Amino acid sequence: MNKEHPDLKREVKHEFNAVNSNQTVEDKFNHGTSIAGIIAAKNNKIGIRGIVPSADIYSVKVLNDEGIGSVDNIVKGIEWSINQDVKIINLSFGMEKDSAELKRVIPKAISQGIIIVAASGNNYMKDVDYPAKYPNVISVGSIDKNHERLRFSPKGKIDVVGPGRDILSTNNHQGYSTFEGTSHSTAFVTGIIALYILDHPEKILIKKKHLKY
């Protein structure tokens, strides 16, 4: 994400580049910045206000500058997030095929009490992507302003839906753009969960010791 955006400046607590550990986290694909804006854009006199502006953002780059990522990089990013003791992992991406490594690391994160929210994919009524398809992962679909399912939102294991079209958020040029997709719906759900945790810290989920898929 663009951590120099005026609506996101000083919101990033830590960052990690799983694609290239020798480089800083930079959002050339114009994706992570919009996700972060929905969740945590500052409550100031400019731009937009995120759902939970007081949230700490842990910025993890697992996709390259074209928006393509390997399972290895995704696993590295999740492992790093586990070690940072985050409360929620927002996965605004998905894959058609299952993976043994992904199937290993997702339950590991959940067993540490981490809530995982994942985009179901922009698959035009086809099946849900992984890892959203896994049990105990919150799978997010998209609806429009009339509460109708958007055409690109898949069918199958959809646990919850969120706004998915004409979403105004921060962009990687320190400005604002409109976005669409289940990735952005996922950010809304993540923000709502984060807000609930802040308001009800006593209700944070108990860690599960034994969880396998």
Side-chain angles (χ1 to χ4, degrees):
M1 58 171 278
N2 182 352
K3 62 183 179 182
E4 296 303 315
H5 194 291
D7 249 342
L8 295 170
K9 208 165 187 176
R10 292 184 292 278
E11 297 288 272
V12 177
K13 187 166 185 178
H14 294 294
E15 64 179 13
F16 175 64
N17 190 332
V19 179
N20 188 334
S21 60
N22 295 319
Q23 296 180 357
T24 58
V25 173
E26 187 176 358
D27 180 21
K28 292 183 179 180
F29 188 56
N30 197 23
H31 188 72
T33 306
S34 60
I35 301 302
I38 292 168
I39 297 170
K42 292 179 179 180
N43 184 17
N44 51 25
K45 295 181 180 180
I46 62 171
I48 64 168
R49 180 189 185 277
I51 295 172
V52 54
S54 59
D56 290 329
I57 296 291
Y58 290 72
S59 179
V60 184
K61 182 169 183 171
V62 298
L63 308 180
N64 65 20
D65 294 339
E66 286 73 47
I68 300 170
S70 70
V71 173
D72 287 345
N73 291 339
I74 294 169
V75 170
K76 285 179 188 176
I78 294 173
E79 292 274 14
W80 181 87
S81 300
I82 293 171
N83 292 334
Q84 298 299 311
D85 197 27
V86 302
K87 298 296 185 289
I88 310 170
I89 296 178
N90 180 94
L91 300 177
S92 284
F93 57 83
M95 304 181 301
E96 285 187 21
K97 295 182 180 180
D98 199 358
S99 157
E101 280 301 296
L102 200 60
K103 191 177 286 186
R104 174 192 65 80
V105 76
I106 293 292
K108 180 180 177 181
I110 295 171
S111 70
Q112 296 299 308
I114 298 171
I115 299 168
I116 299 184
V117 189
S120 59
N122 302 327
N123 300 333
Y124 290 88
M125 296 187 292
K126 294 181 181 178
D127 206 355
V128 173
D129 281 346
Y130 294 96
K133 199 172 182 178
Y134 290 147
N136 299 310
V137 172
I138 299 173
S139 173
V140 184
S142 291
I143 55 173
D144 62 18
K145 63 183 180 181
N146 297 316
H147 299 172
E148 296 290 335
R149 184 180 61 81
L150 288 163
R151 289 184 60 198
F152 56 73
S153 188
K155 292 184 176 180
K157 180 189 171 286
I158 302 294
D159 299 310
V160 65
V161 293
R165 175 163 286 164
D166 297 327
I167 307 302
L168 181 66
S169 190
T170 47
N171 65 31
N172 63 348
H173 298 296
Q174 300 190 29
Y176 303 88
S177 301
T178 55
F179 301 87
E180 69 174 29
T182 59
S183 288
H184 297 86
S185 304
T186 300
F188 278 99
V189 175
T190 294
I192 291 168
I193 294 171
L195 193 62
Y196 182 84
I197 289 174
L198 285 174
D199 288 344
H200 304 280
E202 75 283 358
K203 294 185 179 181
I204 293 176
L205 298 180
I206 298 172
K207 295 181 180 180
K208 301 176 182 179
K209 293 183 178 179
H210 303 290
L211 185 65
K212 295 181 179 179
Y213 293 167

Short mmCIF file of all heavy atoms in Angstrom, two decimals, residues 68-126:
data_model
loop_
_atom_site.label_atom_id
_atom_site.label_comp_id
_atom_site.label_asym_id
_atom_site.label_seq_id
_atom_site.Cartn_x
_atom_site.Cartn_y
_atom_site.Cartn_z
N ILE A 68 0.06 -10.68 -9.45
CA ILE A 68 0.22 -12.14 -9.50
C ILE A 68 1.07 -12.59 -8.33
O ILE A 68 2.09 -11.97 -8.01
CB ILE A 68 0.87 -12.57 -10.83
CG1 ILE A 68 0.00 -12.13 -12.01
CG2 ILE A 68 1.09 -14.09 -10.86
CD1 ILE A 68 0.66 -12.30 -13.36
N GLY A 69 0.67 -13.67 -7.69
CA GLY A 69 1.43 -14.15 -6.54
C GLY A 69 1.57 -15.66 -6.52
O GLY A 69 0.76 -16.38 -7.09
N SER A 70 2.62 -16.12 -5.88
CA SER A 70 2.85 -17.56 -5.72
C SER A 70 2.34 -18.01 -4.35
O SER A 70 2.23 -17.19 -3.41
CB SER A 70 4.34 -17.87 -5.83
OG SER A 70 5.05 -17.37 -4.71
N VAL A 71 2.06 -19.29 -4.23
CA VAL A 71 1.63 -19.84 -2.95
C VAL A 71 2.72 -19.63 -1.90
O VAL A 71 2.43 -19.30 -0.74
CB VAL A 71 1.29 -21.34 -3.08
CG1 VAL A 71 1.02 -21.96 -1.71
CG2 VAL A 71 0.08 -21.52 -3.98
N ASP A 72 3.97 -19.80 -2.29
CA ASP A 72 5.08 -19.61 -1.35
C ASP A 72 5.06 -18.22 -0.73
O ASP A 72 5.25 -18.06 0.48
CB ASP A 72 6.43 -19.85 -2.05
CG ASP A 72 6.70 -21.31 -2.34
OD1 ASP A 72 6.00 -22.17 -1.76
OD2 ASP A 72 7.61 -21.60 -3.13
N ASN A 73 4.84 -17.20 -1.56
CA ASN A 73 4.82 -15.83 -1.04
C ASN A 73 3.62 -15.59 -0.14
O ASN A 73 3.73 -14.89 0.88
CB ASN A 73 4.81 -14.84 -2.20
CG ASN A 73 6.11 -14.81 -2.96
OD1 ASN A 73 7.15 -15.23 -2.45
ND2 ASN A 73 6.07 -14.34 -4.20
N ILE A 74 2.49 -16.17 -0.50
CA ILE A 74 1.29 -16.03 0.34
C ILE A 74 1.53 -16.67 1.70
O ILE A 74 1.21 -16.10 2.75
CB ILE A 74 0.07 -16.66 -0.36
CG1 ILE A 74 -0.27 -15.85 -1.61
CG2 ILE A 74 -1.12 -16.72 0.58
CD1 ILE A 74 -1.28 -16.52 -2.52
N VAL A 75 2.11 -17.86 1.69
CA VAL A 75 2.41 -18.56 2.95
C VAL A 75 3.39 -17.75 3.79
O VAL A 75 3.22 -17.61 5.01
CB VAL A 75 2.95 -19.97 2.67
CG1 VAL A 75 3.49 -20.62 3.94
CG2 VAL A 75 1.85 -20.84 2.06
N LYS A 76 4.42 -17.19 3.15
CA LYS A 76 5.39 -16.35 3.87
C LYS A 76 4.69 -15.17 4.54
O LYS A 76 4.97 -14.83 5.69
CB LYS A 76 6.46 -15.82 2.91
CG LYS A 76 7.50 -16.82 2.48
CD LYS A 76 8.49 -16.15 1.51
CE LYS A 76 9.44 -17.14 0.89
NZ LYS A 76 10.32 -16.48 -0.12
N GLY A 77 3.78 -14.55 3.81
CA GLY A 77 3.06 -13.41 4.35
C GLY A 77 2.18 -13.78 5.53
O GLY A 77 2.11 -13.05 6.53
N ILE A 78 1.52 -14.93 5.45
CA ILE A 78 0.66 -15.37 6.55
C ILE A 78 1.51 -15.76 7.76
O ILE A 78 1.17 -15.42 8.90
CB ILE A 78 -0.24 -16.53 6.10
CG1 ILE A 78 -1.22 -16.05 5.03
CG2 ILE A 78 -1.00 -17.14 7.29
CD1 ILE A 78 -2.05 -17.14 4.38
N GLU A 79 2.62 -16.45 7.52
CA GLU A 79 3.52 -16.82 8.62
C GLU A 79 4.03 -15.57 9.33
O GLU A 79 4.10 -15.52 10.57
CB GLU A 79 4.70 -17.64 8.08
CG GLU A 79 4.34 -19.03 7.55
CD GLU A 79 4.32 -20.08 8.65
OE1 GLU A 79 4.32 -19.70 9.84
OE2 GLU A 79 4.31 -21.28 8.31
N TRP A 80 4.42 -14.57 8.55
CA TRP A 80 4.89 -13.31 9.14
C TRP A 80 3.80 -12.68 9.99
O TRP A 80 4.05 -12.20 11.10
CB TRP A 80 5.33 -12.36 8.04
CG TRP A 80 5.86 -11.05 8.55
CD1 TRP A 80 7.14 -10.76 8.92
CD2 TRP A 80 5.11 -9.84 8.73
NE1 TRP A 80 7.24 -9.45 9.33
CE2 TRP A 80 6.00 -8.86 9.22
CE3 TRP A 80 3.77 -9.49 8.52
CZ2 TRP A 80 5.60 -7.56 9.50
CZ3 TRP A 80 3.37 -8.19 8.81
CH2 TRP A 80 4.28 -7.24 9.30
N SER A 81 2.58 -12.69 9.48
CA SER A 81 1.45 -12.10 10.20
C SER A 81 1.19 -12.84 11.51
O SER A 81 0.86 -12.21 12.53
CB SER A 81 0.20 -12.11 9.32
OG SER A 81 0.41 -11.38 8.13
N ILE A 82 1.30 -14.15 11.48
CA ILE A 82 1.14 -14.94 12.72
C ILE A 82 2.17 -14.50 13.75
O ILE A 82 1.86 -14.30 14.93
CB ILE A 82 1.28 -16.45 12.42
CG1 ILE A 82 0.11 -16.94 11.55
CG2 ILE A 82 1.34 -17.25 13.72
CD1 ILE A 82 0.29 -18.35 11.02
N ASN A 83 3.40 -14.34 13.31
CA ASN A 83 4.48 -13.95 14.22
C ASN A 83 4.30 -12.54 14.78
O ASN A 83 4.86 -12.21 15.83
CB ASN A 83 5.83 -14.07 13.52
CG ASN A 83 6.22 -15.50 13.22
OD1 ASN A 83 5.78 -16.43 13.91
ND2 ASN A 83 7.01 -15.71 12.18
N GLN A 84 3.55 -11.71 14.06
CA GLN A 84 3.27 -10.35 14.53
C GLN A 84 2.10 -10.30 15.50
O GLN A 84 1.78 -9.24 16.04
CB GLN A 84 2.98 -9.42 13.34
CG GLN A 84 4.13 -9.27 12.36
CD GLN A 84 5.36 -8.68 12.99
OE1 GLN A 84 5.30 -7.67 13.68
NE2 GLN A 84 6.50 -9.32 12.76
N ASP A 85 1.46 -11.45 15.70
CA ASP A 85 0.32 -11.56 16.63
C ASP A 85 -0.82 -10.63 16.24
O ASP A 85 -1.43 -9.96 17.08
CB ASP A 85 0.78 -11.27 18.06
CG ASP A 85 -0.22 -11.78 19.10
OD1 ASP A 85 -0.96 -12.74 18.79
OD2 ASP A 85 -0.28 -11.20 20.20
N VAL A 86 -1.13 -10.58 14.93
CA VAL A 86 -2.26 -9.77 14.47
C VAL A 86 -3.57 -10.40 14.90
O VAL A 86 -3.63 -11.59 15.24
CB VAL A 86 -2.23 -9.60 12.94
CG1 VAL A 86 -0.92 -8.96 12.49
CG2 VAL A 86 -2.45 -10.93 12.22
N LYS A 87 -4.62 -9.62 14.88
CA LYS A 87 -5.94 -10.13 15.27
C LYS A 87 -6.75 -10.60 14.06
O LYS A 87 -7.56 -11.52 14.16
CB LYS A 87 -6.72 -9.04 16.01
CG LYS A 87 -6.07 -8.57 17.29
CD LYS A 87 -6.00 -9.70 18.32
CE LYS A 87 -5.44 -9.21 19.64
NZ LYS A 87 -4.00 -8.89 19.58
N ILE A 88 -6.55 -9.94 12.91
CA ILE A 88 -7.29 -10.27 11.69
C ILE A 88 -6.33 -10.29 10.51
O ILE A 88 -5.45 -9.44 10.42
CB ILE A 88 -8.40 -9.24 11.39
CG1 ILE A 88 -9.27 -8.98 12.62
CG2 ILE A 88 -9.27 -9.69 10.22
CD1 ILE A 88 -10.23 -7.80 12.45
N ILE A 89 -6.51 -11.25 9.61
CA ILE A 89 -5.79 -11.25 8.34
C ILE A 89 -6.81 -11.06 7.22
O ILE A 89 -7.73 -11.86 7.07
CB ILE A 89 -5.01 -12.56 8.12
CG1 ILE A 89 -3.90 -12.71 9.18
CG2 ILE A 89 -4.39 -12.59 6.71
CD1 ILE A 89 -3.11 -14.00 9.06
N ASN A 90 -6.65 -9.97 6.47
CA ASN A 90 -7.51 -9.69 5.32
C ASN A 90 -6.83 -10.21 4.06
O ASN A 90 -5.75 -9.76 3.69
CB ASN A 90 -7.74 -8.18 5.21
CG ASN A 90 -8.63 -7.82 4.05
OD1 ASN A 90 -9.84 -7.67 4.21
ND2 ASN A 90 -8.06 -7.66 2.86
N LEU A 91 -7.47 -11.17 3.39
CA LEU A 91 -6.92 -11.75 2.16
C LEU A 91 -7.81 -11.32 0.99
O LEU A 91 -8.78 -12.00 0.66
CB LEU A 91 -6.85 -13.27 2.27
CG LEU A 91 -5.97 -13.82 3.41
CD1 LEU A 91 -6.04 -15.34 3.45
CD2 LEU A 91 -4.53 -13.36 3.24
N SER A 92 -7.48 -10.21 0.39
CA SER A 92 -8.28 -9.69 -0.74
C SER A 92 -7.74 -10.23 -2.06
O SER A 92 -7.37 -9.48 -2.97
CB SER A 92 -8.28 -8.16 -0.72
OG SER A 92 -9.15 -7.68 0.28
N PHE A 93 -7.70 -11.54 -2.16
CA PHE A 93 -7.30 -12.25 -3.37
C PHE A 93 -7.73 -13.70 -3.19
O PHE A 93 -8.18 -14.11 -2.11
CB PHE A 93 -5.78 -12.17 -3.59
CG PHE A 93 -4.97 -12.69 -2.43
CD1 PHE A 93 -4.73 -14.05 -2.29
CD2 PHE A 93 -4.46 -11.83 -1.48
CE1 PHE A 93 -3.99 -14.54 -1.22
CE2 PHE A 93 -3.72 -12.30 -0.41
CZ PHE A 93 -3.50 -13.66 -0.28
N GLY A 94 -7.58 -14.49 -4.24
CA GLY A 94 -7.93 -15.90 -4.15
C GLY A 94 -7.31 -16.70 -5.27
O GLY A 94 -6.76 -16.13 -6.22
N MET A 95 -7.41 -18.02 -5.15
CA MET A 95 -6.86 -18.93 -6.15
C MET A 95 -7.90 -20.00 -6.48
O MET A 95 -8.65 -20.42 -5.60
CB MET A 95 -5.59 -19.60 -5.62
CG MET A 95 -4.51 -18.63 -5.17
SD MET A 95 -3.04 -19.51 -4.59
CE MET A 95 -3.75 -20.49 -3.27
N GLU A 96 -7.91 -20.44 -7.74
CA GLU A 96 -8.86 -21.47 -8.15
C GLU A 96 -8.52 -22.83 -7.54
O GLU A 96 -9.41 -23.59 -7.17
CB GLU A 96 -8.87 -21.61 -9.67
CG GLU A 96 -9.59 -20.48 -10.39
CD GLU A 96 -9.72 -20.75 -11.87
OE1 GLU A 96 -9.62 -21.94 -12.27
OE2 GLU A 96 -9.90 -19.81 -12.64
N LYS A 97 -7.22 -23.14 -7.44
CA LYS A 97 -6.80 -24.47 -7.00
C LYS A 97 -6.37 -24.46 -5.54
O LYS A 97 -5.80 -23.49 -5.05
CB LYS A 97 -5.65 -24.97 -7.88
CG LYS A 97 -6.05 -25.20 -9.32
CD LYS A 97 -4.89 -25.75 -10.13
CE LYS A 97 -5.30 -25.99 -11.58
NZ LYS A 97 -4.17 -26.53 -12.40
N ASP A 98 -6.63 -25.57 -4.87
CA ASP A 98 -6.21 -25.76 -3.49
C ASP A 98 -4.70 -25.97 -3.44
O ASP A 98 -4.06 -26.27 -4.46
CB ASP A 98 -6.94 -26.95 -2.89
CG ASP A 98 -6.92 -26.96 -1.38
OD1 ASP A 98 -6.30 -26.05 -0.79
OD2 ASP A 98 -7.52 -27.87 -0.80
N SER A 99 -4.13 -25.84 -2.27
CA SER A 99 -2.69 -25.99 -2.09
C SER A 99 -2.41 -26.63 -0.74
O SER A 99 -3.00 -26.21 0.28
CB SER A 99 -1.99 -24.63 -2.18
OG SER A 99 -0.75 -24.64 -1.53
N ALA A 100 -1.53 -27.60 -0.70
CA ALA A 100 -1.18 -28.26 0.55
C ALA A 100 -0.56 -27.28 1.54
O ALA A 100 -0.84 -27.33 2.74
CB ALA A 100 -0.21 -29.41 0.27
N GLU A 101 0.28 -26.37 1.05
CA GLU A 101 0.93 -25.39 1.93
C GLU A 101 -0.08 -24.39 2.49
O GLU A 101 -0.01 -24.03 3.67
CB GLU A 101 2.05 -24.66 1.19
CG GLU A 101 3.34 -25.45 1.10
CD GLU A 101 3.88 -25.79 2.48
OE1 GLU A 101 4.23 -24.86 3.23
OE2 GLU A 101 3.92 -26.98 2.83
N LEU A 102 -1.00 -23.97 1.64
CA LEU A 102 -2.03 -23.06 2.11
C LEU A 102 -2.94 -23.75 3.11
O LEU A 102 -3.34 -23.17 4.13
CB LEU A 102 -2.84 -22.55 0.91
CG LEU A 102 -3.65 -21.26 1.10
CD1 LEU A 102 -2.74 -20.11 1.46
CD2 LEU A 102 -4.44 -20.96 -0.16
N LYS A 103 -3.25 -25.00 2.84
CA LYS A 103 -4.09 -25.79 3.73
C LYS A 103 -3.42 -26.02 5.08
O LYS A 103 -4.08 -26.24 6.09
CB LYS A 103 -4.40 -27.14 3.06
CG LYS A 103 -5.48 -27.94 3.77
CD LYS A 103 -5.78 -29.23 3.02
CE LYS A 103 -6.57 -28.95 1.75
NZ LYS A 103 -7.00 -30.22 1.10
N ARG A 104 -2.10 -25.93 5.11
CA ARG A 104 -1.36 -26.08 6.37
C ARG A 104 -1.33 -24.78 7.16
O ARG A 104 -1.57 -24.77 8.37
CB ARG A 104 0.08 -26.52 6.08
CG ARG A 104 0.98 -26.57 7.33
CD ARG A 104 2.44 -26.71 6.97
NE ARG A 104 2.96 -25.55 6.24
CZ ARG A 104 3.32 -24.41 6.84
NH1 ARG A 104 3.22 -24.26 8.16
NH2 ARG A 104 3.78 -23.41 6.11
N VAL A 105 -1.07 -23.66 6.47
CA VAL A 105 -0.83 -22.41 7.19
C VAL A 105 -2.11 -21.72 7.64
O VAL A 105 -2.12 -21.04 8.68
CB VAL A 105 0.04 -21.46 6.34
CG1 VAL A 105 -0.77 -20.80 5.22
CG2 VAL A 105 0.71 -20.40 7.21
N ILE A 106 -3.21 -21.89 6.91
CA ILE A 106 -4.47 -21.25 7.30
C ILE A 106 -4.96 -21.78 8.65
O ILE A 106 -5.26 -20.98 9.56
CB ILE A 106 -5.54 -21.43 6.21
CG1 ILE A 106 -5.16 -20.65 4.94
CG2 ILE A 106 -6.91 -20.98 6.72
CD1 ILE A 106 -5.19 -19.15 5.07
N PRO A 107 -5.04 -23.11 8.86
CA PRO A 107 -5.43 -23.59 10.19
C PRO A 107 -4.45 -23.18 11.29
O PRO A 107 -4.85 -22.97 12.44
CB PRO A 107 -5.45 -25.12 10.02
CG PRO A 107 -5.63 -25.33 8.56
CD PRO A 107 -4.90 -24.21 7.90
N LYS A 108 -3.17 -23.06 10.93
CA LYS A 108 -2.18 -22.61 11.90
C LYS A 108 -2.52 -21.21 12.41
O LYS A 108 -2.47 -20.94 13.61
CB LYS A 108 -0.78 -22.63 11.28
CG LYS A 108 0.32 -22.17 12.23
CD LYS A 108 1.67 -22.21 11.55
CE LYS A 108 2.75 -21.68 12.48
NZ LYS A 108 4.10 -21.69 11.83
N ALA A 109 -2.87 -20.33 11.48
CA ALA A 109 -3.23 -18.96 11.88
C ALA A 109 -4.51 -18.95 12.72
O ALA A 109 -4.57 -18.29 13.77
CB ALA A 109 -3.41 -18.10 10.63
N ILE A 110 -5.51 -19.70 12.29
CA ILE A 110 -6.77 -19.74 13.01
C ILE A 110 -6.58 -20.32 14.41
O ILE A 110 -7.19 -19.86 15.38
CB ILE A 110 -7.82 -20.54 12.21
CG1 ILE A 110 -8.15 -19.79 10.91
CG2 ILE A 110 -9.10 -20.74 13.03
CD1 ILE A 110 -9.01 -20.58 9.95
N SER A 111 -5.72 -21.32 14.53
CA SER A 111 -5.46 -21.94 15.83
C SER A 111 -4.79 -20.98 16.81
O SER A 111 -4.81 -21.19 18.02
CB SER A 111 -4.59 -23.20 15.67
OG SER A 111 -3.27 -22.85 15.28
N GLN A 112 -4.22 -19.89 16.29
CA GLN A 112 -3.63 -18.85 17.13
C GLN A 112 -4.64 -17.76 17.48
O GLN A 112 -4.29 -16.73 18.06
CB GLN A 112 -2.42 -18.23 16.43
CG GLN A 112 -1.27 -19.18 16.18
CD GLN A 112 -0.72 -19.75 17.48
OE1 GLN A 112 -0.40 -19.00 18.40
NE2 GLN A 112 -0.62 -21.07 17.56
N GLY A 113 -5.89 -17.99 17.12
CA GLY A 113 -6.94 -17.02 17.44
C GLY A 113 -7.09 -15.91 16.42
O GLY A 113 -7.79 -14.93 16.67
N ILE A 114 -6.43 -16.04 15.26
CA ILE A 114 -6.52 -15.01 14.22
C ILE A 114 -7.76 -15.23 13.36
O ILE A 114 -8.03 -16.36 12.93
CB ILE A 114 -5.26 -15.03 13.33
CG1 ILE A 114 -4.02 -14.71 14.17
CG2 ILE A 114 -5.38 -14.04 12.18
CD1 ILE A 114 -2.71 -14.91 13.43
N ILE A 115 -8.50 -14.19 13.12
CA ILE A 115 -9.67 -14.25 12.24
C ILE A 115 -9.21 -14.00 10.81
O ILE A 115 -8.51 -13.03 10.54
CB ILE A 115 -10.71 -13.20 12.64
CG1 ILE A 115 -11.20 -13.45 14.07
CG2 ILE A 115 -11.88 -13.19 11.66
CD1 ILE A 115 -12.01 -12.31 14.66
N ILE A 116 -9.58 -14.88 9.89
CA ILE A 116 -9.19 -14.74 8.49
C ILE A 116 -10.42 -14.42 7.64
O ILE A 116 -11.40 -15.17 7.65
CB ILE A 116 -8.48 -15.99 7.96
CG1 ILE A 116 -7.20 -16.23 8.77
CG2 ILE A 116 -8.15 -15.83 6.48
CD1 ILE A 116 -6.35 -17.38 8.28
N VAL A 117 -10.35 -13.30 6.92
CA VAL A 117 -11.42 -12.87 6.04
C VAL A 117 -10.88 -12.88 4.62
O VAL A 117 -9.85 -12.26 4.34
CB VAL A 117 -11.90 -11.45 6.42
CG1 VAL A 117 -13.16 -11.09 5.64
CG2 VAL A 117 -12.14 -11.33 7.91
N ALA A 118 -11.56 -13.58 3.71
CA ALA A 118 -11.01 -13.77 2.35
C ALA A 118 -12.04 -13.49 1.27
O ALA A 118 -13.23 -13.79 1.42
CB ALA A 118 -10.47 -15.19 2.20
N ALA A 119 -11.57 -12.92 0.18
CA ALA A 119 -12.42 -12.65 -0.98
C ALA A 119 -12.83 -13.97 -1.64
O ALA A 119 -12.00 -14.86 -1.83
CB ALA A 119 -11.69 -11.78 -1.98
N SER A 120 -14.09 -14.05 -2.02
CA SER A 120 -14.59 -15.27 -2.67
C SER A 120 -14.17 -15.36 -4.13
O SER A 120 -14.22 -16.43 -4.73
CB SER A 120 -16.11 -15.34 -2.55
OG SER A 120 -16.70 -14.21 -3.17
N GLY A 121 -13.73 -14.22 -4.70
CA GLY A 121 -13.29 -14.21 -6.10
C GLY A 121 -14.28 -13.51 -7.01
O GLY A 121 -15.47 -13.44 -6.73
N ASN A 122 -13.77 -12.99 -8.12
CA ASN A 122 -14.62 -12.36 -9.13
C ASN A 122 -14.83 -13.36 -10.27
O ASN A 122 -14.28 -13.22 -11.36
CB ASN A 122 -13.98 -11.07 -9.64
CG ASN A 122 -13.72 -10.09 -8.51
OD1 ASN A 122 -14.48 -10.02 -7.54
ND2 ASN A 122 -12.65 -9.34 -8.62
N ASN A 123 -15.61 -14.39 -9.98
CA ASN A 123 -15.65 -15.58 -10.84
C ASN A 123 -16.94 -15.73 -11.64
O ASN A 123 -17.16 -16.77 -12.25
CB ASN A 123 -15.45 -16.84 -9.98
CG ASN A 123 -14.12 -16.83 -9.26
OD1 ASN A 123 -13.16 -16.22 -9.73
ND2 ASN A 123 -14.04 -17.49 -8.12
N TYR A 124 -17.78 -14.72 -11.62
CA TYR A 124 -19.01 -14.74 -12.43
C TYR A 124 -19.82 -16.03 -12.25
O TYR A 124 -19.99 -16.82 -13.18
CB TYR A 124 -18.68 -14.48 -13.89
CG TYR A 124 -18.25 -13.06 -14.13
CD1 TYR A 124 -16.91 -12.70 -14.01
CD2 TYR A 124 -19.18 -12.07 -14.44
CE1 TYR A 124 -16.51 -11.38 -14.20
CE2 TYR A 124 -18.79 -10.75 -14.63
CZ TYR A 124 -17.45 -10.41 -14.51
OH TYR A 124 -17.05 -9.11 -14.69
N MET A 125 -20.26 -16.22 -11.01
CA MET A 125 -21.16 -17.32 -10.63
C MET A 125 -20.50 -18.69 -10.61
O MET A 125 -21.17 -19.70 -10.41
CB MET A 125 -22.42 -17.34 -11.50
CG MET A 125 -23.29 -16.11 -11.33
SD MET A 125 -24.87 -16.22 -12.19
CE MET A 125 -24.34 -16.18 -13.90
N LYS A 126 -19.20 -18.75 -10.85
CA LYS A 126 -18.50 -20.03 -10.69
C LYS A 126 -18.24 -20.26 -9.21
O LYS A 126 -18.75 -19.55 -8.36
CB LYS A 126 -17.22 -20.02 -11.50
CG LYS A 126 -17.44 -19.96 -13.00
CD LYS A 126 -16.12 -19.99 -13.75
CE LYS A 126 -16.35 -19.90 -15.25
NZ LYS A 126 -15.06 -19.88 -16.00
#
